[in-house]
Amino acid sequence: MKKNLTQEQLANNLQVSRSTISSWETGRSYPDLEMIVRICDFFNVSLDYILRNDEKIVRKISLDSRKKKNISRFNNWINHFYCCSIYIIFILR
């Protein structure tokens, strides 16, 4: 959907920098899912419209989701290890 905006105008509306808009346009980076929803609202298009027309964004969102899941698992493992270590130290005293 065209609105004939400059990068600066769009950046102001989305509360990001002009260089962020430029990076999205050139494919150097991609917005996160929350920002994609804001973009859809701004241009009055569906999320489906955006995602079905850009496989790179879909791959990025999928990758980000897997990374977050892995980080969460790692944090859980660290917490478990920490708690077990504290318990063992307490018992051995």
Side-chain angles (χ1 to χ4, degrees), residues 41-55:
D41 290 344
F42 180 77
F43 285 103
N44 197 30
V45 296
S46 70
L47 188 58
D48 182 65
Y49 174 83
I50 296 288
L51 296 180
R52 287 195 186 270
N53 291 307
D54 196 331
E55 289 181 26

Side-chain angles (χ1 to χ4, degrees), residues 30 55-71:
Y30 296 95
E55 289 181 26
K56 289 179 182 177
I57 289 179
V58 173
R59 278 190 301 241
K60 185 218 181 274
I61 291 170
S62 295
L63 180 61
D64 286 353
S65 176
R66 284 191 298 259
K67 283 180 182 176
K68 286 180 183 176
K69 194 178 291 184
N70 288 339
I71 289 170

Side-chain angles (χ1 to χ4, degrees), residues 5 12 36 45 55 65 68-69 73-74 81 88-89:
L5 298 171
N12 288 336
I36 293 171
V45 296
E55 289 181 26
S65 176
K68 286 180 183 176
K69 194 178 291 184
R73 286 180 185 153
F74 180 73
F81 178 78
I88 289 169
I89 290 169

Side-chain angles (χ1 to χ4, degrees), residues 4-59:
N4 295 318
L5 298 171
T6 65
Q7 288 180 345
E8 190 71 38
Q9 290 168 323
L10 181 57
N12 288 336
N13 279 292
L14 297 175
Q15 298 177 337
V16 297
S17 69
R18 188 213 50 80
S19 62
T20 297
I21 300 295
S22 176
S23 293
W24 295 343
E25 285 184 351
T26 60
R28 286 190 310 265
S29 68
Y30 296 95
D32 62 17
L33 186 55
E34 183 179 320
M35 183 57 70
I36 293 171
V37 170
R38 289 178 56 198
I39 293 168
C40 289
D41 290 344
F42 180 77
F43 285 103
N44 197 30
V45 296
S46 70
L47 188 58
D48 182 65
Y49 174 83
I50 296 288
L51 296 180
R52 287 195 186 270
N53 291 307
D54 196 331
E55 289 181 26
K56 289 179 182 177
I57 289 179
V58 173
R59 278 190 301 241

